[in-house]
Amino acid sequence: VIVAGLLVARWLGYPVGNWGVVALPLVMILTLLFLAGLSLALSALTTHFKDIRDIVSNLMILLFFTTPVIYGINSIETDTLRTVVQLNPFTPFVVAFQDTLFFGQLPGIGAWVHMLSVALISWLVGAWIFDRLRDTLAEAVRELRRSRSRTSRSSTDASPRSLRSRRSRPRCPIARRSP
């Protein structure tokens, strides 16, 4: 798909591609490693803590605006803001994709080191969190299913007594763990 898009863009006269496209598979592998680690951590944490989903959705909005997708990193004039954008873990990957696809150049050695370190840290932390919570994941998912089925069954019954009993139940699936 990417190759077809590059060929069509070249045919239309846009200066995309060149020899930088050779580095694209390696950039994609590093991006996959980064996202896999992030997914491992978030999937394990979300099954145990419901608020993680809301926190991540708000954080993704912040990360979107601090990632140079719709603007170039060189267009940021203030050093403080440029530093904030460079600390964003998604930035080196987006800049590498821009370099390889749009500017036709290989990312610099600093970009490769930055991408590799972010990807490895993400993978190691994600694998560690997932491994740490692995033993309780099945139980947490089973408890979430039970609580959802109880909520859907009891939502049809709107008597004051059922509302009172629903409010008094503990909400955290970890708190109701059996030994």
Side-chain angles (χ1 to χ4, degrees), residues 112-152:
W112 288 109
V113 169
H114 195 182
M115 280 190 297
L116 184 63
S117 62
V118 168
L120 284 177
I121 289 170
S122 171
W123 174 256
L124 291 173
V125 169
W128 179 77
I129 289 173
F130 193 86
D131 186 53
R132 195 81 177 152
L133 298 174
R134 178 181 48 186
D135 296 334
T136 59
L137 283 177
E139 184 179 325
V141 169
R142 196 173 17 248
E143 190 61 36
L144 280 173
R145 284 185 181 169
R146 256 190 246 132
S147 68
R148 285 184 185 160
S149 67
R150 273 192 301 235
T151 305
S152 65

Side-chain angles (χ1 to χ4, degrees), residues 28-141:
M28 291 174 124
I29 289 170
L30 288 174
T31 305
L32 181 66
L33 184 66
F34 168 64
L35 293 175
L38 201 61
S39 298
L40 279 173
L42 291 177
S43 65
L45 289 171
T46 302
T47 56
H48 286 291
F49 309 106
K50 290 181 183 180
D51 294 337
I52 295 292
R53 185 180 61 211
D54 298 327
I55 292 169
V56 168
S57 68
N58 289 322
L59 190 62
M60 289 303 290
I61 293 170
L62 176 68
L63 287 173
F64 173 75
F65 286 110
T66 59
T67 305
V69 174
I70 54 177
Y71 56 88
I73 198 165
N74 296 330
S75 67
I76 303 171
E77 295 176 3
T78 59
D79 291 334
T80 308
L81 190 56
R82 185 177 294 130
T83 303
V84 168
V85 169
Q86 288 173 341
L87 288 176
N88 183 342
F90 292 99
T91 296
F93 300 100
V94 170
V95 170
F97 277 113
Q98 289 172 350
D99 284 347
T100 57
L101 291 173
F102 302 128
F103 302 124
Q105 60 191 11
L106 294 173
I109 190 73
W112 288 109
V113 169
H114 195 182
M115 280 190 297
L116 184 63
S117 62
V118 168
L120 284 177
I121 289 170
S122 171
W123 174 256
L124 291 173
V125 169
W128 179 77
I129 289 173
F130 193 86
D131 186 53
R132 195 81 177 152
L133 298 174
R134 178 181 48 186
D135 296 334
T136 59
L137 283 177
E139 184 179 325
V141 169

